[in-house]
Amino acid sequence: MNHYLVIVESPAKAKTINKYLGKEYQVLASYGHVRDLVPKEGAVDPAHGFAMKYQPIARSSKHLDAIAKALEKADTVYLATDPDREGEAISWHLQQLLAERGLLKDKPVRRVVFHEITQRAVSEAMQNPRGISTDLVNAQQARRALDYLVGFNLSPLLWRKIRRGLSAGRVQSPALRLIVEREEEIERFEAREYWTVQARLAKASHRFPARLVEFGGEKIEQFSIVDAARAAEVRNQLLAGAQGQLQVERVERKQKRRNPTAPFITSTLQQEAARKLGFTAKRTMQIAQQLYEGVDLGGEQVGLISYMRTDSVALAQEAVQEIRAFIAERYGSDQLPAQPRTYKTRAKNAQEAHEAVRPTSVQRDPEALRRILTPDQAKLYELIWKRTVACQMTHATFDTVAITLTAGDAGRFRATGQTLVHPGFMAVYQEGRDEQSDEDENRELPAIAEGESIPLEEIETDQHFTEPPPRFSEATLVKALEEFGIGRPSTYASIISTLQDREYVVLDRKRFMPTDVARIVNRFLTQHFTQYVDYQFTARLEDQLDAVSRGEREWVPVLEDFWGPFKNRVDETLENVSRAEVTTETLEETCPKCEKPLTIRLGRRGRFVGCSGYPECDYTRNLEDKADDAPPELVEGRNCPECGAGLVQRQGRYGKFLGCSAYPTCKHIEPLEKPRETGVTCPECNEGHLLQRKSRYGKLFYSCNRYPACKYAVWNPPLAEPCPQCNWPILTLKTTKRRGTEKVCPRKECGYTAPAEDALPADASATG
């Protein structure tokens, strides 16, 4: 009997596939990548055709030994790594390593690809093997070489010119530029005042509003009314013209359709999971990987979703047939369009996988799987399942009405509303929104006829101010990366993680804010490496790499076109740009001590204003402070515990705090608000108790009073109640818009949640 060895990346995937193959097959995992570039200069050699020096990854040695041992009995090797460029590269590296060790001999090596881990898909793949795709491998090698060359040349430059420990990357740096430029746009923004006018109307017991759209024969624009005096004048003229009622001039009734959205691709899955579930991109991909690789459904190991790294919205014909049959059975044949819905892929080079992210079978209902899956797996699977089912259902139908009313000759008002007549796909799924609309789209209006008079209750004027563009959330950042062509589906999560790990960004209310170092790094790169952080340049380079993967371009010329100009730019900057030029910024302001120019400088704790005459002049102040700010306010009755001098209230980059008035002789500081007692014993050390504190970004958290001896901390208010599921000594109170207030176990691996039922957090009960 012949023996076959199948190699995949993960043990979970190996376990699932093993169930589908016969006894003559042995399935082993490589546990991810098996080799990488040597971690030092010279790993990519531009002088010799960009030759790349690889070495085995240390942690993979024992797994390679197991594969080598299994190879002794195998007649044929099947490489079944993931169906994208990275998976193709892993298969190639495996083949190269095994060949170098002389383990393959004359044994055939075959590549098999499947986009879902099911019995049918695996069997079909095993019957239709192919060779390793040189084009896909070359595209991945080119990508890896570019990332190495940029990182190993730009990062040391940042160390010299700004600060040690910084990094820059081919796709990381343009992503950082997006965040920094949005923050600068917000800071430059100047709010403008404007007023709206609205009539409050009533017909019988039905009250409804109508907004002013025309006044004095002119259309009302956003800035037609810009102050209270003009708003009052307009209101008075409208009241005089209306004489207590508005006349219905026109009633327009229409029917509106709303079509379902396309099934998920990687980017839209990450966006929707962020909006609806509060998942980070990294967490979404980790859970999706688990669902793809397989879950034990009571003795049966099954992959629940298709491959999750994809930018194609296509669905397999068999999947569409199954979905349509399911819809007809579950929701009725009237919920099916006459023909299957097809969607057009927006990405120019959609080739990461052949299908959208979908359930491997819609017959596996999310409710039936809820008791088997972890809470996070269940939530994400339900999201994918609902979106997939909805994408093949009928459109939703709305009856819309727009009513135009007149206030004599003074002005016109418009009232709009809509009623859902046929929910169609909306009975199953509705896409989330990044920013909520102010318009009440679902307002119902009473039955009104043209020529009718409607009693006027009041005309209201409301003051508004324009708002700056919002900071990026994970969802909107992924959307922007996709729109600009920065990176590819498999890289979005790692881009965001890198920016956070390098402390280039912080999350404030789930929105990204750049740090001071990030601003300086971005300014340095945009001034001296303008082309390489340009959005269009990054997108064009991605397109060239995609062309390599399709066999339309050779990979070495792509690297040559990039490397020459880039290396020259690095060398010129190293030679001609000083650290002071990069980290200081001259202000149009003189020092109050010596009258020399003031500069913005970078210190260990961020940017600050300092005198250009340093060290002869030691004047400094916080960046947020103004030149004519009043001296620090002395806190009555509070003295420094170290030197006895009075304490003053100061303003730092993270808000207000108390500091010694004898600074810089005495450098004692303490928080403005003292930590509050919660009365809850620390569940980790069982000696201390949890205190309510405020982070340097102003966010409340709860930590052990024995810090740093005990570093236990939670974000949500603690409750002195043990978890009924895992017996952890405390629960916490978590409040979200979607689910309200719940009791939650702080241990992620537990996942216990329950309605709060008016429970008080420990700090509330402890402080009365």
Side-chain angles (χ1 to χ4, degrees):
M1 179 187 288
N2 287 337
H3 291 277
Y4 307 102
L5 177 62
V6 181
I7 306 174
V8 297
E9 299 100 325
S10 77
K13 188 174 175 182
K15 185 178 178 182
T16 306
I17 292 172
N18 203 42
K19 302 256 183 173
Y20 301 145
L21 300 175
K23 292 181 180 179
E24 65 272 25
Y25 290 90
Q26 183 178 4
V27 186
L28 292 179
S30 69
Y31 286 77
H33 289 271
V34 292
R35 67 175 188 171
D36 199 0
L37 292 172
V38 295
K40 58 184 179 181
E41 196 171 349
V44 178
D45 186 359
H48 295 87
F50 296 90
M52 301 171 75
K53 298 175 185 176
Y54 292 103
Q55 68 177 24
I57 297 171
R59 60 175 169 74
S60 68
S61 59
K62 64 178 181 180
H63 309 303
L64 285 170
D65 290 342
I67 290 170
K69 188 175 180 180
L71 257 176
E72 295 173 5
K73 300 177 184 178
D75 300 297
T76 304
V77 180
Y78 289 93
L79 300 173
T81 50
D82 285 345
D84 56 9
R85 279 190 291 244
E86 194 169 358
E88 202 74 21
I90 292 174
S91 285
W92 179 74
H93 283 300
L94 273 165
Q95 184 187 41
Q96 294 290 307
L97 266 179
L98 296 174
E100 286 171 10
R101 295 188 180 188
L103 297 170
L104 291 178
K105 298 174 183 174
D106 295 326
K107 296 176 182 180
V109 178
R110 312 205 188 281
R111 174 80 168 111
V112 291
V113 172
F114 35 80
H115 299 278
E116 60 182 63
I117 304 178
T118 59
Q119 177 79 60
R120 179 192 59 79
V122 172
S123 298
E124 284 182 7
M126 298 301 289
Q127 291 166 18
N128 298 281
R130 60 168 171 81
I132 290 175
S133 168
T134 305
D135 293 331
L136 288 176
V137 172
N138 286 343
Q140 187 63 21
Q141 282 209 107
R143 185 180 294 276
R144 186 70 186 89
L146 279 170
D147 291 341
Y148 169 88
L149 292 170
V150 172
F152 258 76
N153 284 275
L154 268 189
S155 297
L157 189 62
L158 294 179
W159 286 34
R160 288 192 180 192
K161 303 301 181 185
I162 301 176
R163 177 189 289 175
R164 290 182 66 82
L166 300 178
S167 74
R170 182 177 60 84
V171 290
Q172 164 196 326
S173 299
L176 177 62
R177 181 186 169 193
L178 277 171
I179 294 170
V180 173
E181 289 187 346
R182 175 60 59 88
E183 192 69 22
E184 291 172 345
E185 187 180 356
I186 292 169
E187 290 170 352
R188 290 193 303 269
F189 180 82
E190 293 183 7
R192 290 185 63 185
E193 180 182 3
Y194 67 98
W195 289 70
T196 57
V197 180
Q198 184 171 264
R200 286 282 168 193
L201 302 163
K203 181 177 181 184
S205 60
H206 199 126
R207 288 178 170 79
F208 62 98
R211 61 186 174 86
L212 182 67
V213 294
E214 185 183 306
F215 179 76
E218 293 186 5
K219 183 182 177 182
I220 293 291
E221 306 286 356
Q222 183 177 14
F223 298 107
S224 295
I225 306 171
V226 295
D227 56 45
R230 178 58 177 162
E233 181 185 341
V234 169
R235 175 180 178 272
N236 291 335
Q237 290 186 40
L238 290 168
L239 286 171
Q243 296 294 312
Q245 58 186 15
L246 298 185
Q247 303 297 318
V248 179
E249 183 179 67
R250 187 167 64 254
V251 178
E252 297 174 85
R253 290 185 174 86
K254 295 179 182 177
Q255 207 164 69
K256 187 174 74 173
R257 292 181 173 186
R258 184 183 299 173
N259 290 320
T261 44
F264 283 129
I265 58 176
T266 304
S267 61
T268 53
L269 176 62
Q270 291 173 355
Q271 291 170 51
E272 197 73 339
R275 295 184 195 110
K276 291 195 169 184
L277 306 179
F279 288 0
T280 62
K282 183 177 180 180
R283 184 176 171 194
T284 298
M285 297 311 289
Q286 286 173 339
I287 299 164
Q289 185 89 34
Q290 295 163 12
L291 295 173
Y292 164 70
E293 290 181 343
V295 176
D296 190 344
L297 303 181
E300 182 190 12
Q301 195 80 12
V302 178
L304 293 180
I305 64 169
S306 59
Y307 192 55
M308 62 283 157
R309 293 187 183 93
T310 174
D311 43 18
S312 168
V313 293
L315 291 173
Q317 192 60 41
E318 316 89 78
V320 172
Q321 290 170 359
E322 186 195 29
I323 294 165
R324 285 176 61 84
F326 176 84
I327 293 169
E329 181 184 344
R330 171 75 67 91
Y331 302 104
S333 56
D334 61 323
Q335 300 297 323
L336 275 176
Q339 298 296 324
R341 291 189 181 276
T342 56
Y343 296 90
K344 188 175 181 181
T345 298
R346 288 183 298 171
K348 288 187 296 182
N349 302 293
Q351 45 85 60
E352 295 274 350
H354 297 309
E355 275 199 83
V357 185
R358 61 168 176 83
T360 51
S361 173
V362 290
Q363 297 295 338
R364 297 191 186 98
D365 191 287
E367 285 303 317
L369 298 180
R370 198 172 294 278
R371 60 183 177 80
I372 300 171
L373 303 177
T374 67
D376 281 357
Q377 287 174 344
K379 290 174 187 174
L380 193 65
Y381 179 73
E382 181 179 27
L383 194 70
I384 295 167
W385 186 92
K386 286 185 172 181
R387 174 92 162 215
T388 307
V389 171
C391 84
Q392 289 300 316
M393 294 180 71
T394 56
H395 58 264
T397 306
F398 295 86
D399 278 344
T400 66
V401 59
I403 303 170
T404 305
L405 308 103
T406 60
D409 295 328
R412 282 186 171 83
F413 292 83
R414 180 162 296 138
T416 58
Q418 67 179 23
T419 306
L420 181 62
V421 178
H422 177 70
F425 75 93
M426 289 176 64
V428 176
Y429 178 86
Q430 289 188 61
E431 187 175 35
R433 294 181 179 181
D434 292 314
E435 307 298 334
Q436 295 302 315
S437 171
D438 291 333
E439 287 189 37
D440 185 2
E441 291 182 347
N442 297 314
R443 181 188 300 123
E444 288 190 37
L445 298 177
I448 291 175
E450 291 181 4
E452 196 173 344
S453 298
I454 309 296
L456 173 64
E457 290 189 338
E458 179 59 282
I459 291 180
E460 301 168 341
T461 58
D462 291 303
Q463 183 187 36
H464 307 273
F465 291 92
T466 55
E467 294 184 354
R471 294 186 177 106
F472 286 109
S473 64
E474 283 230 2
T476 55
L477 182 58
V478 167
K479 187 175 182 180
L481 292 173
E482 183 185 26
E483 287 174 350
F484 281 108
I486 300 170
R488 282 296 179 260
S490 58
T491 63
Y492 298 146
S494 62
I495 291 170
I496 293 170
S497 294
T498 300
L499 293 176
Q500 291 177 290
D501 294 343
R502 296 292 181 181
E503 297 185 350
Y504 283 155
V505 297
V506 293
L507 274 174
D508 179 39
R509 299 181 189 88
K510 296 188 176 182
R511 300 277 175 166
F512 290 110
M513 287 179 60
T515 60
D516 287 344
V517 172
R519 290 169 181 261
I520 290 174
V521 168
N522 181 68
R523 185 158 63 93
F524 172 70
L525 293 175
T526 52
Q527 285 180 356
H528 301 287
F529 291 86
T530 311
Q531 176 182 359
Y532 302 99
V533 291
D534 178 76
Y535 305 133
Q536 283 72 33
F537 176 84
T538 306
R540 285 195 300 272
L541 194 53
E542 291 288 353
D543 291 342
Q544 290 174 35
L545 294 171
D546 288 336
V548 172
S549 70
R550 296 191 299 269
E552 297 168 6
R553 288 202 64 173
E554 293 295 322
W555 69 287
V556 172
V558 170
L559 293 180
E560 287 173 340
D561 291 345
F562 174 87
W563 174 245
F566 176 74
K567 185 65 170 68
N568 291 338
R569 184 72 264 185
V570 170
D571 293 342
E572 286 175 19
T573 306
L574 184 62
E575 183 72 25
N576 301 320
V577 179
S578 69
R579 186 179 188 277
E581 287 179 69
V582 178
T583 58
T584 61
E585 184 181 340
T586 304
L587 295 174
E588 293 181 359
E589 188 181 330
T590 57
C591 174
K593 276 190 175 182
C594 70
E595 297 189 350
K596 288 184 179 179
L598 289 178
T599 59
I600 297 175
R601 287 156 47 191
L602 179 66
R604 284 184 300 172
R605 298 182 180 178
R607 296 193 304 165
F608 66 96
V609 175
C611 181
S612 59
Y614 178 83
E616 288 77 18
C617 177
D618 63 356
Y619 174 80
T620 62
R621 71 165 190 261
N622 292 318
L623 189 61
E624 297 85 359
D625 295 344
K626 303 300 179 186
D628 55 354
D629 279 355
E633 180 184 344
L634 196 66
V635 180
E636 190 175 347
R638 297 286 297 275
N639 295 319
C640 174
E642 293 184 15
C643 71
L647 291 179
V648 294
Q649 182 174 298
R650 299 184 185 276
Q651 176 76 34
R653 65 185 293 232
Y654 301 116
K656 294 180 180 179
F657 66 95
L658 297 182
C660 183
S661 58
Y663 177 85
T665 306
C666 176
K667 296 182 179 179
H668 171 78
I669 62 169
E670 58 184 66
L672 191 63
E673 297 178 24
K674 289 193 172 182
R676 293 172 58 189
E677 180 62 66
T678 66
V680 177
T681 302
C682 175
E684 189 156 289
C685 69
N686 291 315
E687 294 180 30
H689 45 273
L690 300 182
L691 299 177
Q692 176 186 290
R693 304 178 189 268
K694 189 175 281 188
S695 76
R696 62 184 184 177
Y697 302 112
K699 187 175 180 181
L700 293 178
F701 69 101
Y702 304 83
S703 65
C704 183
N705 71 320
R706 294 180 62 242
Y707 177 86
C710 175
K711 296 182 179 178
Y712 184 79
V714 291
W715 286 112
N716 298 315
L719 293 171
E721 295 179 27
C723 174
Q725 189 162 293
C726 71
N727 294 318
W728 187 246
I730 70 166
L731 292 173
T732 61
L733 274 183
K734 184 175 182 179
T735 303
T736 61
K737 287 182 180 178
R738 184 169 176 264
R739 301 176 66 92
T741 302
E742 296 179 307
K743 293 180 183 180
V744 176
C745 180
R747 300 176 76 207
K748 288 184 179 178
E749 61 269 27
C750 173
Y752 172 79
T753 62
E757 298 176 356
D758 301 325
L760 282 174
D763 60 297
S765 57
T767 56

